Amino acid sequence: MNLSLPDQTMHGSGEGCLDEDKPEVMLPCFRRNAYDEPLSSSPYSSSSIISQLLRKSLPGKRAVDEGHFYLCSADSGQEDRSSVSSKDSVMEATWLISKHIYLQAKRARVENIIRVMAGSPTSRVHGDGEKENKRKQRLPQHQEHNVGASRKPGSDNSSKDEECHRLKEQLHSMQRLLRQLQEKFLQVYHQEDPENDDGDDALDESTESRYDTLKHELTRAVSECVDRVFRKLPPTGLDTSPPQRMCPSPEINADRKAAQEQPQDDETPIKTRSLEYYEESHSPQDQTEALSLVVRKPVLTPISTPSVKRPFPLHQTPFQFNYSAPLHDSQILEHLLKYGPHSNFLPCMPAAAAMDRSSPDTVDLPWDAIAMRSKVTSGHLGHHPRPSALGPVVMDNLCLPHVKLECGEGMAELNIQEGLTPSHLKKAKLMFFYTRYPSSNVLKTYFPDVKFNRCITSQLIKWFSNFREFYYIQMEKFARQSIVEGVSDVKDITVSRDSELFRALNMHYNKANDFHVPDRFLEVAEITLQEFYSAVSASKDSDPSWKKAIYKVICKLDSEVPDEFKTSSYL
DNA sequence: AAAGTTCCTG
DNA sequence: CAGGAACTTT
């Protein structure tokens, strides 16, 4: 059956916002591809999707392998495969993949609906259930509700509803992740692109391979996601949970308390739920800090090494996660986003990259068995000599079954994770060590997993405003204190990691003390303190706006926030 | 007018 | 930290 997909999805509203549920937001050149016919007769083949796509769009052969996708062959017949093509092709591929996923999933859903309807003859024939009115201009908050013919069919067909919801959720989840991936691609390119005057051949080379790897992993991940969607279609609209492989016990680092707070997904629908989290006792003192550090740890799989590989470079802050919503299946993508393609630590697809070398079409691993979720609270407030090395390590992994969660009942919208989570707050705090006055643009790029709107933006800005407030209050306080203590020379004003001031600040922005505060911040703090000291010493504080001058100085001391922070849920 | 800040409160 | 008022800046 050739299910031509409804095409009302093609009114690209120019450009602009990467509004969520608009998978159609594609580059023009992808809008009219020959997607109308199923790309593959076997929707369950998880790997060759991209290949098929490529083969389809370009008769030529050399496509996938080199990681170079020449997609718009039709339009750009004269396109010279010069240097630029690589970059563009990657992005295009990304978009294409995105589109493809959407269509595949959509088709899956349609099939599902049809299948369901087959069982209930009375159902309306136009079960198209999908006519998302991309009306939502702004005020994104509001729930575009869940289309779908099976919205409130009556009192039965609950399984049908669930399926639809689940599918849609997955779609959204994947779309969001894809968008993030796309952004990441762009970021990466924009970073290494501008003036490569450094002209290191070595650098170029490594960059090249980086992209290749990234691309391949993305491709694989996407394929998996698509495949996953299909696998999810229950033959009978019911249980599809594949055999679940329990995850071995996690290794818990002694110095870490474990997690708590289990998201609102308590009522996990029946089966699928295997062990969710390993709950460890956690010190009551930590309770107050709703923040939890979550670290992914490789699930022990046949191939994973016995020793737990540290999921992050020593010099780097450990990744912490905190999903405020149940994870979806597209964890591979999430992983890519968070850890990057070179993390050598693919919890979702254990060593997929590594082992996959030989068989491109491999990976038939049941997601349910691999997908896992780790969680851990940021316990201890103790001081670690090497915070960054220790990091929040304890975690637990679990085989997260697939989706569940139907938010409440009305479930006006899928779990799009609209708001900012405690993890975001934590991340923002750490970012403060680098920038005290981040522009909204910076915020946008550093919080790729956040769907920005006025509220979110203001909230983030407000956060930094609050951070600054605390910061300046501390500065003034300590400046006055040192004056009282008789410090007579500005030169005697210093800020080291041993300083009380630093302690206070660190406690505020890095409570868990698992982040290595950059030296630069110490410098900035010192300068700030000196500014306050000088001002107060000179009795400038008599002027109602004496702080303004200081603010002006400080805002110029902002520095770039490390790229690691750009990953979606870093921290 | 809108965005961004600071300041003050709770 | 969120809200809101007041003010500055664009």
Side-chain angles (χ1 to χ4, degrees):
Chain A
M1 53 164 70
N2 194 335
L3 301 175
S4 54
L5 302 165
D7 225 292
Q8 79 289 56
T9 61
M10 296 300 166
H11 39 31
S13 55
E15 54 96 24
C17 60
L18 2 93
D19 202 343
E20 203 67 19
D21 27 35
K22 287 184 181 173
E24 321 61 67
V25 179
M26 304 291 292
L27 292 182
C29 76
F30 293 116
R31 295 213 170 127
R32 27 172 312 136
N33 263 315
Y35 289 117
D36 292 26
E37 64 177 12
L39 284 158
S40 167
S41 53
S42 59
Y44 291 89
S45 68
S46 64
S47 61
S48 56
I49 294 174
I50 303 299
S51 309
Q52 290 178 52
L53 259 178
L54 294 171
R55 268 196 290 279
K56 208 175 190 67
S57 56
L58 63 152
K61 45 289 186 65
R62 55 158 306 188
V64 196
D65 301 316
E66 233 314 278
H68 287 158
F69 305 116
Y70 299 105
L71 299 173
C72 300
S73 54
D75 307 345
S76 54
Q78 71 286 43
E79 174 185 302
D80 62 328
R81 8 206 90 162
S82 56
S83 50
V84 278
S85 67
S86 175
K87 172 180 175 178
D88 292 336
S89 59
V90 175
M91 296 191 295
E92 289 168 357
T94 302
W95 286 109
L96 182 56
I97 290 167
S98 175
K99 176 75 172 185
H100 184 59
I101 271 203
Y102 170 66
L103 293 174
Q104 285 278 48
K106 191 169 186 174
R107 175 167 147 254
R109 186 178 53 210
V110 172
E111 289 178 335
N112 182 52
I113 291 173
I114 290 175
R115 176 166 41 239
V116 173
M117 289 197 304
S120 53
T122 54
S123 306
R124 306 93 95 46
V125 176
H126 297 304
D128 157 9
E130 175 73 295
K131 54 211 328 13
E132 307 241 312
N133 301 321
K134 286 59 186 155
R135 209 51 116 290
K136 43 191 325 183
Q137 311 263 44
R138 37 176 203 214
L139 294 195
Q141 289 304 6
H142 68 257
Q143 351 266 10
E144 195 79 339
H145 48 252
N146 197 22
V147 295
S150 53
R151 181 90 169 95
K152 288 220 167 190
S155 39
D156 53 346
N157 292 330
S158 61
S159 68
K160 180 170 68 176
D161 280 354
E162 288 181 340
E163 276 311 309
C164 288
H165 290 332
R166 270 174 43 176
L167 281 169
K168 180 137 190 185
E169 277 178 334
Q170 280 192 291
L171 256 181
H172 276 274
S173 178
M174 292 195 296
Q175 285 161 10
R176 202 183 51 168
L177 290 167
L178 271 168
R179 192 192 71 203
Q180 289 167 20
L181 267 175
Q182 289 162 358
E183 289 175 1
K184 182 152 190 169
F185 260 100
L186 293 176
Q187 286 173 2
V188 172
Y189 268 93
H190 288 160
Q191 280 165 23
E192 327 226 2
D193 218 21
E195 320 131 22
N196 256 346
D197 298 323
D198 313 296
D200 282 20
D201 285 330
L203 192 100
D204 286 340
E205 207 169 312
S206 76
T207 297
E208 252 335 270
S209 66
R210 270 187 62 194
Y211 291 139
D212 283 351
T213 303
L214 191 84
K215 282 180 285 190
H216 282 103
E217 291 192 19
L218 168 62
T219 298
R220 185 161 36 240
V222 166
S223 295
E224 284 297 317
C225 284
V226 173
D227 185 38
R228 180 64 180 160
V229 169
F230 281 101
R231 286 177 189 282
K232 278 218 156 170
L233 291 175
T236 60
L238 282 179
D239 188 287
T240 53
S241 59
Q244 297 194 30
R245 193 187 306 164
M246 297 306 265
C247 299
S249 326
E251 300 178 18
I252 312 292
N253 273 16
D255 66 324
R256 282 291 176 178
K257 288 79 181 186
Q260 24 65 294
E261 164 226 77
Q262 182 156 342
Q264 62 286 46
D265 55 329
D266 272 301
E267 31 244 27
T268 298
I270 31 187
K271 35 112 191 193
T272 56
R273 176 174 192 145
S274 53
L275 70 181
E276 272 284 32
Y277 312 90
Y278 277 95
E279 306 234 348
E280 298 283 309
S281 61
H282 48 282
S283 39
Q285 57 194 9
D286 302 326
Q287 294 292 21
T288 56
E289 191 53 77
L291 303 180
S292 62
L293 300 180
V294 182
V295 177
R296 289 197 175 189
K297 161 180 152 183
V299 174
L300 303 188
T301 65
I303 50 177
S304 63
T305 39
S307 60
V308 179
K309 186 180 299 179
R310 188 175 273 101
F312 41 82
L314 285 183
H315 70 276
Q316 199 177 321
T317 296
F319 290 101
Q320 308 159 52
F321 298 101
N322 183 319
Y323 295 92
S324 60
L327 288 188
H328 290 252
D329 291 342
S330 18
Q331 299 192 349
I332 285 183
L333 290 179
E334 289 194 71
H335 176 82
L336 282 173
L337 288 169
K338 291 163 187 161
Y339 298 99
H342 312 291
S343 57
N344 287 325
F345 168 54
L346 282 169
C348 297
M349 295 302 298
M355 65 193 233
D356 194 59
R357 299 278 174 249
S358 51
S359 50
D361 281 68
T362 53
V363 191
D364 204 33
L365 300 173
W367 279 40
D368 297 296
I370 349 182
M372 53 71 100
R373 182 182 196 173
S374 311
K375 221 168 188 312
V376 61
T377 53
S378 67
H380 75 279
L381 297 174
H383 294 352
H384 291 302
R386 293 285 305 263
S388 58
L390 293 174
V393 179
V394 171
M395 54 232 140
D396 35 88
N397 36 26
L398 19 95
C399 309
L400 183 66
H402 28 113
V403 191
K404 54 254 233 92
L405 84 225
E406 353 255 345
C407 53
E409 19 64 39
M411 138 154 236
E413 182 60 8
L414 311 168
N415 300 9
I416 301 281
Q417 280 290 339
E418 298 284 329
L420 293 170
T421 68
S423 292
H424 291 130
L425 174 58
K426 186 175 181 66
K427 176 177 177 177
K429 284 182 172 179
L430 296 188
M431 283 175 66
F432 185 78
F433 284 129
Y434 299 92
T435 174
R436 268 61 57 188
Y437 293 85
S439 67
S440 55
N441 279 333
V442 166
L443 293 177
K444 283 185 176 68
T445 62
Y446 280 89
F447 288 91
D449 62 334
V450 173
K451 183 177 170 185
F452 279 81
N453 57 43
R454 283 205 188 92
C455 285
I456 297 298
T457 303
S458 319
Q459 190 181 8
L460 264 174
I461 288 178
K462 180 65 177 178
W463 280 358
F464 277 86
S465 177
N466 286 331
F467 298 162
R468 284 194 297 273
E469 186 172 26
F470 178 83
Y471 178 80
Y472 288 131
I473 287 175
Q474 294 303 310
M475 292 299 167
E476 181 176 357
K477 176 176 139 190
F478 280 88
R480 291 183 185 285
Q481 187 174 307
S482 59
I483 290 177
V484 170
E485 291 174 348
V487 177
S488 57
D489 189 349
V490 198
K491 306 287 288 181
D492 295 328
I493 301 288
T494 61
V495 175
S496 71
R497 291 175 192 276
D498 300 322
S499 306
E500 277 296 302
L501 173 58
F502 177 76
R503 231 179 54 68
L505 296 173
N506 189 57
M507 188 62 80
H508 190 72
Y509 308 115
N510 180 30
K511 187 161 298 185
N513 194 40
D514 53 6
F515 180 79
H516 184 73
V517 180
D519 291 333
R520 175 58 180 164
F521 179 73
L522 276 294
E523 297 173 21
V524 174
E526 186 171 294
I527 294 174
T528 310
L529 185 58
Q530 293 173 342
E531 285 292 325
F532 271 90
Y533 170 88
S534 300
V536 175
S537 294
S539 297
K540 292 183 179 175
D541 56 337
S542 57
D543 177 347
S545 56
W546 64 285
K547 293 178 185 174
K548 276 192 172 182
I550 299 177
Y551 298 155
K552 194 164 296 182
V553 172
I554 305 308
C555 76
K556 293 180 180 176
L557 302 179
D558 275 9
S559 48
E560 280 280 316
V561 180
D563 288 344
E564 296 90 271
F565 284 82
K566 288 182 178 174
T567 47
S568 74
S569 289
Y570 173 84
L571 288 222

